[in-house]
Amino acid sequence: NRLMDERWLADKTRKRYMYGYRKLVDYIGREDFIIDELNIGFIKDFMRYLSVADSAKRDICACIASVWHYGISKKLVDASEYPFNEFKFTQKYRDNCRDYCIDLVNMKKLREYWLDMVTVRNGSRWSYKDGALDRLQKRTSKEFGICYFLAMYYLNGSAPTDIARLKVENVSRIMIDGEDYYKVEFNRQKTHTSVSVRLKRNMFSIVLLEHFLGMSRSGYVYPVINWKDGMSYVQLQKSIDKCGEKAIKWVREAFEEINQETIRKNVEEGLEEPPVDGQKGVLYTARHSLASN
């Protein structure tokens, strides 16, 4: 507060500081911590903990660095302990998150885990579990959070904002060599390059796409954006980021359970299948996994 008041910061910048502070409070579990507690080891762990966009992580690091500089200038902390002399966010993020890949085997396990959550299967026959359709329409639910991650992966490694902004009109059904497919076409929000995806119509693609098309009220396929008339780009992005934070939490929880099952099978069947480090994943892991696989 002293830093913000003395520097007469713009409202947007003040909000950025407070956003970073709230994230720190959530992580530390208390409001009254001292800046020199945020040493290099703490920063590394904190960056791994955060499940927000890389731009938000950079902003938080910049705010922490700024408060550190303020404390140093006021002779409140020791300059030799300043963490950003050694820690560089972009390099650390690239090494630990951006380049982290979930292999094809474990992506398939996540898909099956999700399908078991929302469907009852008996051979080739299947139906939705009681209440699953309603839960899939709640953007904070575990059912939808994993769906969001899988949609990023299977729709050509698309960004969270591309999935959030996907319109019903972007999806159609076509026949290829006598087989039924979904055709999904849109432009990437960031680069404006065109994307064209074909998904064979089966149980997975029906649950991933078809039922959302019939339940859309806003014109968007997925219930990520809590749409209101007159919403600004910033408001839209906040809505997308909030949904993404919840989604990766559910994906990490899912991989914990998948790993337990992998370990059980290894013991019972004498296998040596390695578990996946799902806790390393962020939302963008879906994009990188698609490209790598």
Side-chain angles (χ1 to χ4, degrees):
N1 283 333
R2 284 172 58 188
L3 181 152
M4 290 191 294
D5 290 342
E6 288 183 20
R7 294 185 181 177
W8 294 95
L9 300 177
D11 286 345
K12 183 178 179 180
T13 307
R14 294 175 71 94
K15 288 178 181 177
R16 188 176 298 138
Y17 273 95
M18 295 311 298
Y19 174 77
Y21 172 69
R22 286 193 296 271
K23 290 295 183 185
L24 283 164
V25 169
D26 289 343
Y27 180 65
I28 295 174
R30 53 190 167 88
E31 296 183 355
D32 53 344
F33 53 89
I34 302 170
I35 191 65
D36 62 7
E37 292 181 51
L38 312 189
N39 55 33
I40 186 168
F42 176 95
I43 299 293
K44 288 179 179 179
D45 291 340
F46 183 48
M47 288 298 110
R48 293 189 190 105
Y49 158 81
L50 285 172
S51 55
V52 298
D54 53 348
S55 59
K57 289 190 177 186
R58 289 192 192 96
D59 283 346
I60 291 171
C61 279
C63 291
I64 293 172
S66 184
V67 178
W68 252 101
H69 283 302
Y70 180 83
I72 291 169
S73 70
K74 299 293 183 180
K75 298 187 176 0
L76 301 173
V77 289
D78 186 349
S80 66
E81 299 298 320
Y82 176 68
F84 295 101
N85 288 330
E86 300 176 46
F87 175 79
K88 303 299 179 188
F89 163 70
T90 51
Q91 179 184 347
K92 199 67 187 176
Y93 183 78
R94 188 162 57 246
D95 290 346
N96 286 280
C97 299
R98 175 71 75 172
D99 287 351
Y100 182 64
C101 168
I102 296 171
D103 60 47
L104 188 59
V105 170
N106 281 296
M107 285 302 303
K108 286 181 177 178
K109 285 183 178 181
L110 181 64
R111 183 182 68 187
E112 291 305 305
Y113 174 94
W114 176 66
L115 286 173
D116 285 340
M117 283 181 64
V118 298
T119 66
V120 178
R121 289 178 276 179
N122 182 12
S124 60
R125 302 181 65 181
W126 66 277
S127 61
Y128 288 102
K129 285 186 175 179
D130 290 344
L133 284 172
D134 290 335
R135 291 191 294 274
L136 279 166
Q137 287 300 314
K138 295 180 180 178
R139 62 190 187 130
T140 58
S141 71
K142 186 174 185 178
E143 287 82 353
F144 179 71
I146 298 173
C147 175
Y148 193 24
F149 188 83
L150 289 170
M152 288 178 59
Y153 181 84
Y154 283 96
L155 295 181
N156 205 38
S158 298
T161 187
D162 295 326
I163 301 301
R165 292 168 176 267
L166 187 67
K167 294 286 190 75
V168 172
E169 64 199 47
N170 298 131
V171 185
S172 59
R173 281 172 63 179
I174 59 172
M175 297 295 291
I176 301 176
D177 295 331
E179 293 191 288
D180 202 359
Y181 284 80
Y182 295 105
K183 179 175 72 174
V184 185
E185 294 184 310
F186 59 94
N187 290 327
R188 292 195 188 278
Q189 180 69 24
K190 187 173 182 180
T191 62
H192 302 292
T193 54
S194 60
V195 174
S196 182
V197 185
R198 305 289 184 270
L199 289 178
K200 189 173 182 179
R201 188 173 185 268
N202 53 28
M203 180 183 68
F204 172 66
S205 59
I206 289 172
V207 181
L208 187 74
L209 269 176
E210 185 170 294
H211 96 271
F212 286 103
L213 300 176
M215 300 181 76
S216 173
R217 297 177 182 176
S218 62
Y220 293 104
V221 175
Y222 296 108
V224 178
I225 299 172
N226 189 13
W227 176 259
K228 295 177 183 177
D229 289 337
M231 286 183 74
S232 67
Y233 174 80
V234 172
Q235 289 172 316
L236 287 173
Q237 200 58 47
K238 280 184 178 179
S239 184
I240 293 169
D241 290 345
K242 187 173 181 181
C243 182
E245 287 182 34
K246 201 73 174 177
I248 195 59
K249 171 183 177 292
W250 294 129
V251 169
R252 289 174 177 177
E253 183 177 292
F255 274 119
E256 285 184 8
E257 295 181 33
I258 289 169
N259 283 340
Q260 290 172 10
E261 180 64 14
T262 298
I263 292 168
R264 184 189 67 78
K265 284 189 174 181
N266 284 347
V267 172
E268 292 181 357
E269 301 175 22
L271 303 175
E272 295 183 358
E273 191 171 325
V276 61
D277 189 358
Q279 299 309 305
K280 248 186 174 182
V282 295
L283 204 58
Y284 270 80
T285 298
R287 283 169 55 75
H288 187 76
S289 298
L290 186 281
S292 297
N293 291 336

